[in-house]
Amino acid sequence: MTDHPYKSLPDKAFWRRSVSAPEIGDVDPVGVFDLKITPETKVATAGSCFAQHIARHLKSSGFDYYVAEQGHPLISPGVLSAHNYGTFSARYGNLYTARQLLQLMDRAYGRFTPAEGPWIDPDGTVRDPFRPAIQPGNFVSVEEMEADRKQHLAAVREMFETLDVFVFTLGLTECYRSKEDGAVFPLCPGVEGGEFDPDKYEFYNQGVEDVVGDMTEFLARLREVNPKAQVILTVSPVPLMATAEPGAHVLSATTYSKSVLRVSAEMLRKAHDFVHYFPSYEVITGAYNRGAYYARDLRNVTENGVGHVMGLFLKYATGGTPAAAPRKAEAPQEDSFLKMSQSFVEVECEEAALDRG
Amino acid sequence: MTSRKILVVGNSHTQMVAKAEALRKEGPDYVSKGDVTVRWLKTQRHGDTPIEQAMEEIAALGPDDLLVLTRLGTLHNVLGLFVHDRPYVILRAGQKPQDDMEGYEVLPVATLRSSLAEAISKETLLREMRDAAPCRTIHYSSPPPKRELRSDGKLRTLDSGEQVRMKFSDIWTRLAFWNIETEVANEFLTEIGIEICPVPPKAFDPDGFLAEPFCGSDATHANQRYGARLLDYFESL
């Protein structure tokens, strides 16, 4: 028998040994992840819905979950949380696309001032088009919205300049943008505020070159203001709520979107030694769990799934042992699955507004 | 025929009514329009009436009597009377930002409203008193803020013994706080079915502050003249 390269590979390189044979909770799809985080490391988060889970677990795991925009201490903690202070490291809401992230940075540093004006609701209250669901009850005036946005962008600058690690969850490739200046919105205008006007807005579905290009620019600007910053990329396992890609089925559109994001993450990781990839996408979507990490809507992620991801994250990032990852297989058809489904964490997801009818 | 009873129960803002009634009784033209009793609920440091006693008196009212409560409307003083270590600004609708907001944190009105609503929703005694009362029940909130305060702050003694001067917030912050709290309190009162007693006519100045003739001697209370206007209103019901 001849020798060959596969003979010397570790178990994780083989499907049977590392995916199909182990118990669900033992599957560990982490490839290369050598970033270490200590309790003193300032970890900031941004991204799509799934990033909220990461933020929540970081908060409860003894990490220095960095919140640059905390809200005023006169406000009760419960209200601050309900009003999206601390949901992420600054009050930007969900950043679904790489372009949103890049434009956020450019807006924060005055390199980009979108032409889009404030969105006024029928009751006269005001929304920020770039975070339309950030303020429950909306802003009472354009002046208040603009003052809050100015404060928000200052917090974003502070966050970028002083964080140690930035965890960004790539969520979507589909977006709506202004025809005038290319400003992208987290939600299609008209879904959660604003009014859809086909003469003003257009659908755009990013490809790999867009995502890699946007993220490469973002990474360069981040390192400009914070040369020691490390970046962890993840891909959200949450499928699209709806697709606007002409003629597309939402399942195929999801596959396209997540594939683009996963390829982009890998290209970025290989191109930059300060960029790391953490496979939360694989933990949740991998066939090894037979769908057990999705709730009944096949979209939201169960608490057990999040626990598995974060257990692995803590294991690798801290060198410690994994937290509460499930040890027993839970088949989707079992009652335990139904119970788990019911206990899934209902992340406040602006995107859900798309399906409100 | 027994006269109608008006029972006023609540916090320190009961005292302007008590004083107004006492002064009225001393006057030569006094004509009783009702039997007014004022009860300042006892707290650790102030007040004269334990809650249990007040509840008994409320339950003893007749169907034609009037229960007047004053419990809500004090948060704007607790939270907003003094300058906070982290300066903030409240931009109400129609209010332009000040020229230099550097160092000030925007406190979104909707967020402040929610926080005040959360605090007010924990108020259970009003519901208990409403349920115990066999008669019409109304509520008046604390008076609007004063435009001018007679000093620029208050001396407070820290645990260390050190004395510090707490500066009063600017007039527009105090007014915004009061307005927002009053809106939230009125929504709560409507929700729990207690009538709202409005601020007496002409007790506001054109900007919405407590008019000078109605100001009490301290930073937060109105005087007996304001109390007399409230009495007039109670008796008109």
Side-chain angles (χ1 to χ4, degrees):
Chain A
M1 251 172 76
T2 57
D3 201 8
H4 56 75
Y6 289 92
K7 281 207 162 181
S8 58
L9 293 176
D11 285 352
K12 70 178 178 183
F14 295 90
W15 185 269
R16 185 185 57 77
R17 288 181 228 166
S18 66
V19 179
S20 61
E23 293 287 324
I24 291 179
D26 292 331
V27 171
D28 173 357
V30 178
V32 178
F33 191 83
D34 50 13
L35 179 68
K36 287 287 176 277
I37 293 174
T38 70
E40 289 75 40
T41 309
K42 290 166 89 170
V43 183
T45 66
S48 67
C49 297
F50 191 74
Q52 292 183 28
H53 290 303
I54 296 178
R56 186 168 52 83
H57 272 255
L58 282 172
K59 271 187 256 188
S60 60
S61 302
F63 281 102
D64 182 2
Y65 172 60
Y66 179 27
V67 180
E69 192 174 6
Q70 296 189 329
H72 200 279
L74 278 181
I75 305 300
S76 75
V79 170
L80 285 176
S81 177
H83 286 230
N84 298 300
Y85 292 93
T87 306
F88 296 111
S89 294
R91 209 161 76 120
Y92 25 65
N94 292 328
L95 301 176
Y96 293 107
T97 59
R99 188 146 304 168
Q100 238 187 301
L101 177 64
L102 175 62
Q103 290 186 354
L104 172 68
M105 172 159 268
D106 284 348
R107 289 195 297 124
Y109 285 91
R111 284 186 291 259
F112 179 45
T113 305
E116 185 75 9
W119 289 353
I120 314 293
D121 271 23
D123 64 359
T125 57
V126 179
R127 294 175 192 260
D128 183 342
F130 301 103
R131 36 182 202 146
I134 204 69
Q135 180 63 57
N138 297 341
F139 295 102
V140 295
S141 65
V142 172
E143 288 81 7
E144 188 191 43
M145 186 278 281
E146 287 176 343
D148 188 83
R149 179 194 279 174
K150 188 176 170 191
Q151 168 176 296
H152 163 62
L153 293 177
V156 169
R157 288 194 298 276
E158 186 186 346
M159 177 194 78
F160 283 141
E161 289 164 20
T162 57
L163 59 81
D164 296 315
V165 173
F166 183 54
V167 182
F168 183 63
T169 299
L170 295 150
L172 297 176
T173 55
E174 293 190 14
C175 60
Y176 275 83
R177 65 184 182 187
S178 163
K179 284 183 174 177
E180 188 175 351
D181 58 10
V184 293
F185 304 100
L187 285 169
C188 175
V191 172
E192 192 86 27
E195 202 172 310
F196 187 72
D197 178 349
D199 293 331
K200 284 179 69 181
Y201 310 114
E202 65 183 359
F203 172 75
Y204 187 67
N205 200 356
Q206 288 197 300
V208 169
E209 64 282 6
D210 290 315
V211 176
V212 171
D214 288 346
M215 288 302 297
T216 301
E217 267 190 71
F218 165 77
L219 293 168
R221 288 168 192 179
L222 175 63
R223 295 282 279 195
E224 253 175 49
V225 298
N226 186 348
K228 65 175 176 47
Q230 298 284 315
V231 175
I232 299 173
L233 294 179
T234 68
V235 173
S236 167
V238 179
L240 275 65
M241 173 65 83
T243 179
E245 180 66 33
H249 187 285
V250 67
L251 185 55
S252 295
T254 296
T255 303
Y256 167 80
S257 189
K258 302 299 179 183
S259 302
V260 164
L261 297 174
R262 181 64 189 87
V263 168
S264 301
E266 192 67 9
M267 290 173 69
L268 291 160
R269 182 186 74 82
K270 286 183 170 170
H272 305 278
D273 62 2
F274 63 93
V275 175
H276 313 265
Y277 175 72
F278 193 82
S280 51
Y281 177 78
E282 286 81 350
V283 172
I284 302 300
T285 63
Y288 74 93
N289 68 40
R290 294 168 172 79
Y293 288 160
Y294 281 108
R296 292 185 73 178
D297 63 0
L298 301 180
R299 196 168 170 273
N300 278 290
V301 176
T302 64
E303 191 58 31
N304 269 357
V306 178
H308 191 166
V309 170
M310 293 310 294
L312 289 171
F313 183 80
L314 297 182
K315 172 184 166 185
Y316 283 92
T318 68
T321 51
R327 307 297 299 174
K328 294 283 282 178
E330 292 119 345
Q333 69 274 24
E334 292 174 352
D335 285 345
S336 59
F337 170 70
L338 293 176
K339 283 178 187 167
M340 275 203 309
S341 302
Q342 286 162 358
S343 68
F344 74 82
V345 179
E346 191 65 79
V347 173
E348 188 184 345
C349 181
E350 296 157 5
E351 204 193 358
L354 287 170
D355 199 31
R356 208 174 281 160
Chain B
M1 181 182 145
T2 56
S3 64
R4 181 195 189 208
K5 285 182 185 165
I6 299 175
L7 177 60
V8 182
V9 179
N11 56 29
S12 59
H13 296 286
T14 53
Q15 295 309 290
M16 58 185 163
V17 176
K19 200 164 181 185
E21 174 66 359
L23 284 169
R24 236 169 36 165
K25 278 182 175 168
E26 287 171 10
D29 306 324
Y30 174 68
V31 179
S32 173
K33 293 182 188 171
D35 174 10
V36 178
T37 305
V38 179
R39 298 293 186 218
W40 183 0
L41 290 172
K42 206 167 175 51
T43 61
Q44 276 187 333
R45 292 174 59 185
H46 302 291
D48 54 26
T49 307
I51 288 174
E52 299 73 26
Q53 182 191 327
M55 294 299 287
E56 283 171 17
E57 291 185 36
I58 289 169
L61 291 169
D64 296 327
D65 294 335
L66 179 69
L67 174 62
V68 181
L69 302 171
T70 180
R71 295 267 299 165
L72 304 181
T74 56
L75 290 170
H76 69 281
N77 283 325
V78 175
L79 301 173
L81 183 62
F82 295 107
V83 171
H84 196 276
D85 293 343
R86 271 170 60 179
Y88 60 86
V89 62
I90 302 167
L91 295 172
R92 300 201 75 217
Q95 190 180 338
K96 299 283 178 206
Q98 55 200 62
D99 290 339
D100 182 15
M101 289 200 356
E102 193 65 37
Y104 285 81
E105 201 166 323
V106 177
L107 219 166
V109 170
T111 302
L112 179 57
R113 277 183 65 95
S114 294
S115 199
L116 293 172
E118 181 188 72
I120 287 173
S121 71
K122 291 173 184 158
E123 162 63 56
T124 55
L125 191 57
L126 280 178
R127 286 190 181 92
E128 289 172 28
M129 290 176 164
R130 171 207 62 192
D131 291 344
C135 58
R136 190 170 178 180
T137 304
I138 68 170
H139 180 281
Y140 69 91
S141 293
S142 67
K146 300 171 185 182
R147 178 185 287 272
E148 303 295 340
L149 295 172
R150 291 199 172 89
S151 66
D152 63 349
K154 274 197 165 184
L155 276 177
R156 291 283 167 93
T157 305
L158 303 177
D159 289 343
S160 62
E162 183 192 354
Q163 284 204 315
V164 293
R165 176 164 289 278
M166 294 179 73
K167 290 192 69 171
F168 289 125
S169 297
D170 68 273
I171 60 173
W172 303 110
T173 297
R174 291 190 285 108
L175 183 64
F177 237 115
W178 181 83
N179 275 313
I180 294 167
E181 186 183 8
T182 302
E183 288 165 14
V184 173
N186 288 349
E187 284 168 13
F188 175 76
L189 290 166
T190 302
E191 190 185 308
I192 66 171
I194 293 180
E195 280 182 56
I196 298 156
C197 170
V199 172
K202 297 182 182 169
F204 291 113
D205 74 8
D207 288 323
F209 293 96
L210 185 63
E212 184 60 32
F214 298 97
C215 290
S217 57
D218 64 10
T220 58
H221 292 91
N223 61 15
Q224 70 276 6
R225 193 175 291 183
Y226 190 98
R229 295 290 176 91
L230 287 174
L231 269 177
D232 290 344
Y233 180 77
F234 305 155
E235 288 166 350
S236 73
L237 296 175

